[in-house]
Amino acid sequence: MAGPAGGCEIIVRMSRNTFIAVAIVLAISAAVAGAWFAAHLGAPQLPEHARVLSTPRPVPDVPGVDHTGTAFGRADLEGRWTIAFFGFTYCPDICPATLHVLAGARRLLDDLPDGDRPEVVMLSVDPGRDTPERLAEYVPFFHPEFRGVTFEAQHLPELARAFGAAYAYSALGEDGYTVDHTASLFLVDHQARVAAVFPTPHTAEGIATDLRRIIKLETAR
Amino acid sequence: MRLTILALTALLWGCAPDSAPPASPPPTPSATAPQPATAGPAVTDAWVRQVPPAARMTAGYLNVYNPGPDELVIVGVESPLFNSIELHGTFVVDGVARMRHQETVTVAPGETVRFEPGGLHLMLMQPVDGIPSSGAIEMSLVLDEGERLEFLAPVGQPGG
């Protein structure tokens, strides 16, 4: 008698086990699918490299002149995204490298609508040598829409402070001096506030991906 | 037992899908210099950054391999197209890029020293007749014992 009863019990237990197993598989599949959809479709993702500031810092309205000789001020930053960085034209290594990478990033973002496509601005930390004419010979070479801006020396500290950037002059070579400067890129939001910082090293793909993510995050906010 | 295996399989299957972010390849110079056929020190992957015509200077990059048993000490760089070339290094400290003159650059035995954007580079100054925007630039590294390593550095942008 023990035989048939035991067999039945086994069948019942097995089907219960199978049911539990199927339930586990289904639950895990659902969780994985949910995570995949969240990551790939709906929910905005955090940028990989850029640091989004919890409290964006307003850019002060200090007067500058761009490479076309046009006045540049805070109003030029309002109502659009701007990638700004500090550099100078007598910089042979890191500034052209940054400009080249930014040109690549900008091309990767060509599909964005006008309102989202970032303007790229090099803020010169070398008022002594970077005249608008000199910037005109240099900055648009990397991308025709890039803007170079020079400021009077007296205004630079206030500007740099707002960005959390540093610069300093050091004697070097026959050309007299070089400028040490923060190599990070800064994302300025539609309210002319520093909203995110991209630390070095920079790649065109990294910048473009993070910028898309930040725009999505800000739009969802 | 079967349940355990099933659950384990499900768990493993659930954990397996893509989680590793795609690795972005580092930018590589579009052109490379021919490698010398000798068994001595080798200069490879040399290139000079293409800069706006108005630029007063540009940067050169290369790899120097030292297969020998002794240190290889680079004390200078020369080119018929530039009156002054210096060894420089960019150092990023706390996010601030600092460019400094290097008197010498030493390549340890069996090692390769890379001159690359954001790091060591040759600073090419005082062009004899403007900075070339294409072609290749003849250069030579001057070593401490007077030996010279000649190489050709194409002008271009990294990553094509």
Side-chain angles (χ1 to χ4, degrees):
Chain A
M1 284 305 282
C8 202
E9 204 180 297
I10 285 167
I11 290 166
V12 169
R13 200 191 296 150
M14 268 186 62
S15 61
R16 193 188 295 143
N17 286 352
T18 310
F19 175 78
I20 291 170
V22 168
I24 289 173
V25 170
L26 281 177
I28 291 171
S29 310
V32 169
W36 189 90
F37 277 109
H40 293 265
L41 299 175
Q45 288 176 284
L46 291 174
E48 264 179 69
H49 308 287
R51 189 165 52 84
V52 176
L53 304 188
S54 49
T55 311
R57 291 191 297 259
V59 176
D61 192 15
V62 298
V65 180
D66 82 357
H67 66 278
T68 65
T70 308
F72 176 93
R74 191 169 196 276
D76 290 79
L77 300 170
E78 289 169 351
R80 58 153 65 97
W81 293 102
T82 305
I83 298 176
F85 72 102
F86 292 88
F88 63 113
T89 68
Y90 277 72
C91 165
D93 180 41
I94 200 142
C95 306
T98 302
L99 280 160
H100 178 71
V101 165
L102 280 171
R106 180 65 175 64
R107 280 192 288 273
L108 290 174
L109 296 167
D110 272 347
D111 63 299
L112 287 176
D114 281 351
D116 283 347
R117 215 176 302 132
E119 179 162 78
V120 174
V121 178
M122 182 176 97
L123 307 167
S124 171
V125 284
D126 192 1
R129 294 182 293 197
D130 283 347
T131 59
E133 296 74 26
R134 188 153 173 75
L135 289 170
E137 292 171 333
Y138 196 85
V139 178
F141 171 83
F142 295 91
H143 191 289
E145 289 174 32
F146 284 6
R147 208 168 173 191
V149 182
T150 188
F151 300 87
E152 282 180 36
Q154 67 193 61
H155 295 306
L156 271 179
E158 187 188 355
L159 187 71
R161 209 179 309 122
F163 279 89
Y167 63 97
Y169 302 94
S170 314
L172 184 78
E174 294 95 353
D175 285 279
Y177 65 93
T178 184
V179 191
D180 302 341
H181 58 90
T182 295
S184 307
L185 306 175
F186 300 92
L187 182 66
V188 180
D189 68 12
H190 286 231
Q191 289 82 48
R193 301 174 307 179
V194 182
V197 181
F198 294 71
T200 55
H202 302 124
T203 63
E205 294 77 15
I207 294 166
T209 304
D210 275 2
L211 194 87
R212 284 180 198 277
R213 290 184 179 187
I214 293 171
I215 290 175
K216 216 169 191 181
L217 278 172
E218 293 297 315
T219 316
R221 196 171 274 183
Chain B
M1 189 60 195
R2 187 190 290 180
L3 173 66
T4 318
I5 290 168
L6 261 175
L8 266 177
T9 311
L11 267 175
L12 285 173
W13 176 78
C15 293
D18 63 306
S19 51
S24 58
T28 46
S30 55
T32 54
Q35 188 162 349
T38 61
V43 172
T44 56
D45 297 324
W47 61 287
V48 166
R49 186 180 290 283
Q50 189 185 45
V51 288
R56 307 286 199 277
M57 57 189 71
T58 184
Y61 306 96
L62 65 154
N63 295 332
V64 186
Y65 171 57
N66 174 16
D70 305 311
E71 281 186 341
L72 184 151
V73 183
I74 304 163
V75 297
V77 192
E78 292 176 1
S79 167
L81 301 186
F82 292 85
N83 286 321
S84 171
I85 302 179
E86 289 182 358
L87 299 161
H88 280 205
T90 298
F91 306 93
V92 181
V93 180
D94 293 333
V96 177
R98 300 183 160 86
M99 195 172 72
R100 294 292 180 266
H101 181 213
Q102 311 284 295
E103 290 294 335
T104 61
V105 170
T106 301
V107 189
E111 299 287 322
T112 296
V113 166
R114 297 176 197 284
F115 289 70
E116 54 196 0
L120 283 172
H121 56 273
L122 310 179
M123 176 132 145
L124 284 62
M125 297 172 289
Q126 300 175 20
V128 173
D129 191 20
I131 299 174
S133 59
S134 59
I137 296 174
E138 277 178 50
M139 282 195 271
S140 49
L141 298 180
V142 183
L143 306 183
D144 59 343
E145 284 165 3
E147 196 190 340
R148 302 166 74 88
L149 284 179
E150 302 199 345
F151 62 99
L152 209 53
V155 178
Q157 296 285 5

